[in-house]
Amino acid sequence: MRSEVDPNFFLAYTDINVGIPSIEEDAFTSTIATPFECRLRDCTYSAPIYVNVRYRRGPQIVTTKRVTIGRIPVMLRSNKCVLHSKTWSQLEALKECPHDPGGYFIVKGVERVILMQEQLSKNRMIIELDARGFIFGPPLALRLGKPCFMLRKK
């Protein structure tokens, strides 16, 4: 990224990766999280996103490693999940059901699933009435910058 104010300044993310799921206890303390613990504590089962940042400070180029830029929810049984490739007995020790297939997220202690939806469009034209009493179709009006047809309502 280059600055429009100072063309010599730049900022680059050189390496982006996702850490292991954890719970932030305080500002500087975090512990490894399990899905069971997140359900009990009403917190999100998420992992930090780390980047290495390169930028110019004066004449020198500075590289800062493992800067946390946010957190991302982790899908259960994904390769970032602590349940990934665990045996039956290990899952029982973590208080997880071995029959649970995963594929969902825990957000604020609640299991959430992302559902794919296909919405078929109905062959209908949407029209509206403007302030002057004219009927117009907003998608066409927005695309062309003016109404394409106008009818006066009686």
Side-chain angles (χ1 to χ4, degrees):
M1 220 182 314
R2 293 239 178 239
S3 171
E4 293 178 1
V5 177
D6 183 7
N8 292 326
F9 180 80
F10 76 94
L11 174 76
Y13 293 139
T14 57
D15 185 28
I16 302 171
N17 57 28
V18 178
I20 58 172
S22 60
I23 298 173
E24 291 183 351
E25 303 290 338
D26 298 326
F28 302 105
T29 312
S30 65
T31 59
I32 294 174
T34 63
F36 178 75
E37 186 179 6
C38 290
R39 285 186 198 101
L40 285 180
R41 295 176 65 181
D42 294 334
C43 60
T44 301
Y45 184 62
S46 62
I49 303 170
Y50 296 114
V51 296
N52 293 345
V53 181
R54 282 184 46 225
Y55 61 95
R56 182 183 299 270
R57 185 188 306 155
Q60 64 183 359
I61 295 175
V62 179
T63 302
T64 307
K65 296 187 181 284
R66 287 184 60 87
V67 176
T68 305
I69 61 168
R71 298 183 67 81
I72 187 167
V74 175
M75 183 187 310
L76 269 71
R77 298 285 182 106
S78 67
N79 62 353
K80 290 293 180 183
C81 180
V82 296
L83 306 179
H84 180 69
S85 69
K86 297 285 188 207
T87 64
W88 190 286
S89 59
Q90 290 172 329
L91 287 170
E92 288 175 346
L94 291 170
K95 299 179 182 166
E96 294 293 330
C97 177
H99 298 291
D100 184 7
Y104 56 91
F105 302 89
I106 297 174
V107 179
K108 296 181 183 173
V110 180
E111 295 174 352
R112 301 283 183 175
V113 178
I114 296 178
L115 298 176
M116 298 301 293
Q117 290 184 356
E118 179 181 347
Q119 189 142 12
L120 300 174
S121 65
K122 298 178 175 107
N123 223 1
R124 296 182 188 160
M125 184 165 63
I126 301 171
I127 58 173
E128 291 183 1
L129 189 65
D130 70 356
R132 298 177 299 177
F134 290 107
I135 298 173
F136 71 99
L140 295 173
L142 291 174
R143 199 173 319 141
L144 300 174
K146 60 181 178 179
C148 296
F149 59 89
M150 299 179 85
L151 302 170
R152 173 149 333 251
K153 183 179 177 186
K154 292 190 175 197

